[in-house]
Amino acid sequence: MSAASNSDRDNAARDLLRVLFDAALAAADPACAILPYLPEPVAGRTVVVGAGKASAAMARASEEAWEGRLDGLVVTRHGHGVPCERIRIVEASHPVPDAAGEQAARDILALAQGLGPEDQLVCLVSGGGSALLTLPASGLTLADKQGVTQALLRSGATIGEINTVRKHLSAIKGGRLAAAAAPARVVTLAISDVPGDDPAVIASGPTVPDPTTFADARAVLAKYGITEPKAVIAHLAEARDETPKPGDARLARSDYKLIASPQRALAAAAEAALARHITPIVLSDRVEGEARDVAAMHAAIAVQLRAGQFRVGHEIVTPPAVLLSGGETTVTVQGKGRGGRNSEFLLALAAALAKDLVGSGGIYALACDTDGIDGTEDNAGAIVYPNTVARAASRGTAIKEALAGNDSYGFFAALGDLVVTGPTLTNVNDFRAILILDR
């Protein structure tokens, strides 16, 4: 095949992967997703609060559709705010909390505490809410929460484990916000960014019962060898003021509605693939684990399909096909490079595919965080081509060194293969698409 035809094939594959990603984002657009779920007005006040990367977009859609009195406050990540007229928007730090997030959480709790039985609290939560809605429990400081958050993020802990700890260091998470609003009605509208869509994990479940305990939180820190800050360890050991549990009377008037999810986003991408005569294979919306381990498994499946040996029932699935998956992988940081879990996944995927020179040709991949920010950099993710490793080597970059240094951002930036979208104003977690073309 000529260089020109290779280039055309690469461009077509890249464009197709972006079409699938855009379809997934459209399915999670807060402006469209929230409207069917808005509650009816009540006799008293309706106050809107919330936290997460999509919360400002959710707030704007809510107030545009709402007739009558409405006020409130939501906190979102820096760069993810949108203008609202009646709901105050605060931008704060993510994934490590800051003073702006702490003050916003304090103000949100005060709004909830001021409601009566004729009022309702509409809570808009989405991915990122755990870090943004930060209000330390009595005896703890913001610095304490920052310290343990940084340690957990570097440890490779899952989002469920991290949020178990967060809930037991908080004065507002783990059902405490709904308890503070009682006896008002509470309606939570959520966009899921967690595997399994567990309401108690999304934004650390500020309005739902918490099935986890102080003992669970202590076990997480012990598992990863985290022994600092000392105030955090002492607070968890004292185990005073447990989070509201299922059956708590204070949460009796709390209603929860999931308005967008990773599975719905993957389904939309699958439909977009079918419309282009590409067979979609949705592996799972709840994939967890170390990013490079998950990549190795995805690579094995892609090569199996490419070789004409991927069987479903009596049928052999043949290219063109696309493997779709979501969830939230983790990265145990060892090096000093830059990058997020999606670009780390792709780096490991490219390395795994390069080991099978016969079976991996014609395989392309995109992995992006649906909020538009992979980790702490400016990219949503990146794209892998069949010649990714070879092109890097021609520039003097060894993929093994990039993996060892956790420098996925630098690796893909040098190749010009980053995907940069800017904040998407939604968040249904990671999106991965591996495209397998005809031989």
Side-chain angles (χ1 to χ4, degrees), residues 40-58:
E40 296 294 324
V42 293
R45 296 174 61 199
T46 293
V47 174
V48 175
V49 298
K53 299 170 189 175
S55 63
M58 296 168 77

Side-chain angles (χ1 to χ4, degrees), residues 17 51 158 232 243 266 275 295 308 336 418:
L17 289 169
T158 68
V232 166
T243 50
L266 292 178
K336 297 181 179 180
L418 294 174

